[in-house]
Amino acid sequence: MFGKIIGTGSYIPEHFITNEDLTNYIDTSDEWITDRTGVKKRHIMQDETTADMAAEAAKKAVERAGINVDEIDMIIVSSVSSNVILPNTACYVQDKIGAVNAFCFDINTACTGFIMAYNTAQSYIDIGLVQTALIIGAEGLSKIVDWSDRGTCILFGDGAGAAIVRKDDKAVFDTVMYADGSMGAALTCNNGFAYRATLIDKTENKSIYQNEENKQISKCSQENDWNQIQNTYVQMNGQEIFRFAVKQVPECIQELMKKIQINKDEIDMFVLHQANSRILQGIAKRLKVPLEKIPMNVSEYGNTSSACIPILLDELFQEGKLKEGDKIIMSGFGAGVTLAATYLEV
């Protein structure tokens, strides 16, 4: 027996940066960004943290599900950009919403993260350990983006989305998941802590800091130090990721449909990771499905990694675009590289 989504929530920072705003920092234009990515603006944290956004999205999901927080048995947070390492972000959320009966853990599979969290929750429900799960995708990517790198800073934004999944004897679930570590270099971000002691020693204990525009690190004595610090920002081979996504995501979805013996025409909606509009259009073309079946909000939020799918799901539910009985395939792809497609019914 599996679970159904009974409530969703999201949190989007009020502050945003438009394509026009970015022209003050990098050599670009609104037309150039929109044509290549479909992104018009990206919302950016100010006073919030990633963990705060996760907690706010969770509160909305709980409210809309109409449950008590003490009914939640498990909390999973997917994030590559949380502001906290210890305690884990899920424990932070547990404390903020008062879900005292939940056990908690975080996962990191980047843009595939929410689907992996959903699949994990379904597995716990299926073996009888969990009745009700809270799953969250939350990202503060603005903190790990190099705002002088035109190839990445135009793409990413901040936000969080959450869902309550509850055991239901009518629930339907199946999935296909893959990973290919040999492609890991296509999308990377190293942990800055690894360089901290070395850099402080080389600069004779002088302070190392980012300036207000987040453009450069000051007082690094050697060129190698700068290269190391650059690696603590997101680095991406955009063309390689594009080729992977447009080819492998449709194949993964087709494999799932074959596995569950369902035709693409029977699927009401394909809820996909919002990497950029060109990738989504390419996936639609390969699947030979109308673009209307692939909802997009990338123009408003950009790529929010593991938060993309739950934010989109919440919007679809709140706008009444998903109704009981609808057949959905969620699919995501991300760093690792990781890839997944999951079938559910509303």
Side-chain angles (χ1 to χ4, degrees):
M1 189 178 294
F2 298 109
K4 274 196 170 188
I5 294 176
I6 62 169
T8 59
S10 60
Y11 179 88
I12 309 297
E14 289 186 11
H15 179 69
F16 60 84
I17 295 176
T18 66
N19 292 346
E20 289 84 358
D21 294 331
L22 286 177
T23 63
N24 296 318
Y25 300 94
I26 55 175
D27 180 17
T28 191
S29 67
D30 174 53
E31 182 181 12
W32 189 89
I33 297 172
T34 303
D35 180 61
R36 285 161 178 77
T37 71
V39 180
K40 299 292 288 185
K41 60 183 180 182
R42 63 288 298 145
H43 291 251
I44 305 296
M45 297 183 298
Q46 295 290 283
D47 298 328
E48 312 97 328
T49 66
T50 303
D52 291 334
M53 294 191 299
E56 291 302 315
K59 290 175 185 177
K60 292 179 182 177
V62 169
E63 180 182 353
R64 289 168 182 161
I67 64 169
N68 229 312
V69 289
D70 58 12
E71 298 176 55
I72 300 171
D73 303 306
M74 174 173 68
I75 302 173
I76 309 175
V77 174
S78 171
S79 183
V80 301
S81 55
S82 182
N83 55 295
V84 293
I85 297 176
L86 300 173
N88 63 47
T89 312
C91 282
Y92 179 92
V93 171
Q94 182 213 45
D95 178 52
K96 290 299 180 183
I97 69 173
V100 295
N101 294 322
F103 64 92
C104 312
F105 58 92
D106 293 357
I107 64 171
N108 174 357
T109 49
C111 304
T112 321
F114 181 80
I115 297 177
M116 296 297 193
Y118 178 84
N119 293 352
T120 302
Q122 292 286 17
S123 299
Y124 276 85
I125 292 170
D126 186 42
I127 61 176
L129 290 178
V130 165
Q131 298 280 328
T132 306
L134 166 61
I135 55 174
I136 305 167
E139 301 289 2
L141 298 172
S142 61
K143 301 300 184 183
I144 59 172
V145 166
D146 178 1
W147 289 93
S148 66
D149 176 16
R150 186 176 70 168
T152 57
C153 76
I154 64 172
L155 294 170
F156 298 107
D158 301 335
I164 301 289
V165 182
R166 170 162 276 186
K167 186 176 180 180
D168 188 315
D169 58 9
K170 296 180 181 179
V172 180
F173 166 77
D174 213 325
T175 191
V176 172
M177 297 180 285
Y178 289 106
D180 182 359
S182 68
M183 284 187 63
L187 183 52
T188 63
C189 183
N190 290 338
N191 190 334
F193 294 154
Y195 307 118
R196 180 180 291 171
T198 301
L199 288 168
I200 290 176
D201 179 64
K202 286 182 178 180
T203 55
E204 299 176 351
N205 292 321
K206 293 178 182 178
S207 63
I208 299 169
Y209 60 92
Q210 288 182 284
N211 66 15
E212 291 180 357
E213 294 181 354
N214 199 17
K215 283 188 173 182
Q216 64 183 8
I217 301 295
S218 300
K219 299 183 181 178
C220 289
S221 58
Q222 298 180 9
E223 182 179 348
N224 187 51
D225 296 339
W226 170 242
N227 291 335
Q228 286 180 325
I229 287 200
Q230 281 292 87
N231 289 336
T232 67
Y233 295 132
V234 172
Q235 310 260 318
M236 182 175 66
N237 182 329
Q239 290 185 343
E240 189 170 0
I241 292 295
F242 180 90
R243 287 193 295 268
F244 167 80
V246 170
K247 181 177 186 294
Q248 297 299 329
V249 172
E251 290 182 2
C252 187
I253 291 172
Q254 287 165 344
E255 181 179 346
L256 175 62
M257 291 190 294
K258 182 178 181 180
K259 182 181 180 184
I260 60 179
Q261 297 183 334
I262 196 169
N263 188 284
K264 64 186 177 184
D265 296 331
E266 299 176 69
I267 301 299
D268 295 291
M269 204 168 290
F270 296 86
V271 181
L272 307 182
H273 168 54
Q274 303 289 292
N276 70 56
S277 60
R278 277 191 173 182
I279 287 177
L280 294 170
Q281 290 162 3
I283 292 171
K285 185 176 181 179
R286 287 219 175 202
L287 283 175
K288 296 180 180 178
V289 299
L291 204 53
E292 293 74 25
K293 281 193 173 187
I294 300 181
M296 297 187 203
N297 61 10
V298 67
S299 64
E300 175 67 27
Y301 307 120
N303 179 344
T304 56
S305 188
S306 62
C308 278
I309 288 176
I311 289 173
L312 181 56
L313 275 176
D314 186 45
E315 287 190 338
L316 293 170
F317 275 115
Q318 300 317 309
E319 293 170 3
K321 294 180 179 178
L322 288 175
K323 60 185 184 297
E324 187 174 355
D326 278 355
K327 298 175 174 64
I328 298 172
I329 287 181
M330 301 188 297
S331 185
F333 55 94
V337 290
T338 56
L339 175 67
T342 292
Y343 176 74
L344 65 147
E345 293 180 5
V346 177

